[in-house]
Structure formats: structure tokens, C-alpha cells
Amino acid sequence: MMTLGDRIRYYRERKGWSQSQLGRATGMGQTRLSKIENGRSKPYFWEVERIALYLEVPLGWFDTLRVVQAEEPVRQPMHGWGKGRAAMGPQA
């Protein structure tokens, strides 16, 4: 089974880009991209979004459900969303 890093490497190489080229294009840098590709670091969602954008592949090809880091806090609903009637959405 291909890991997220394997998939990024596959599509990067398929496009003919080096880690340095993709790192520069995404604003992440070669070192960060290398750590992600080699499984030494988990990417943030925004990083995967940028990688998909620059490699011109659908975001879903990276199985992004596995990207969310356990250390990230769960965001609470804003302005009462998710509580009582507000959970139904704005009133017309």
C-alpha cells in the first residue's frame, strides 16, 4: 500500500520535478518535502492542498483523510453553530 509520501513522490516524479522544484513552488522547501515523502513528518492539510495544486492532481488522490494530525485541536463551532436551532443553519 502506498503511503501519502509515496504518492506525493510518484506524482512529483511523474511531472518531472525535483523535491527542490516542488518545495520552491509550494513555499515549503526541499527539506520539509523530503521529510513528508519519507514519512518522517506528517503534512498539514494546507501543504497537501498546495502539493495537489502544483502537481495538477485531484486532492483526493492523496487520501487526505489520513493527513489530519492527531495533535491538532478540534475546532469548536463559531457563533453558536452546532448548538440548538443554530445547528440548522441561518434563518431566512
Side-chain angles (χ1 to χ4, degrees):
M1 182 174 161
M2 290 181 79
T3 65
L4 175 62
D6 293 334
R7 291 175 192 194
I8 292 171
R9 181 181 298 112
Y10 172 80
Y11 291 114
R12 176 181 55 77
E13 290 175 348
R14 186 172 164 189
K15 192 167 178 82
W17 285 14
S18 67
Q19 285 181 341
S20 294
Q21 289 170 308
L22 182 57
R24 248 190 328 271
T26 59
M28 295 168 50
Q30 184 273 329
T31 303
R32 175 73 176 138
L33 189 57
S34 175
K35 288 179 180 179
I36 292 169
E37 285 188 1
N38 291 306
R40 292 192 313 264
S41 184
K42 292 180 185 179
Y44 292 101
F45 185 78
W46 69 266
E47 291 173 318
V48 177
E49 283 183 310
R50 283 192 183 174
I51 291 168
L53 176 70
Y54 284 97
L55 294 181
E56 299 175 334
V57 297
L59 184 58
W61 286 10
F62 292 123
D63 191 17
T64 56
L65 294 176
R66 300 176 193 267
V67 174
V68 177
Q69 294 183 336
E71 299 82 24
E72 292 183 70
V74 176
R75 292 194 173 94
Q76 296 298 316
M78 293 175 46
H79 307 293
W81 286 89
K83 297 178 183 175
R85 288 186 54 116
M88 298 181 339
Q91 303 300 314

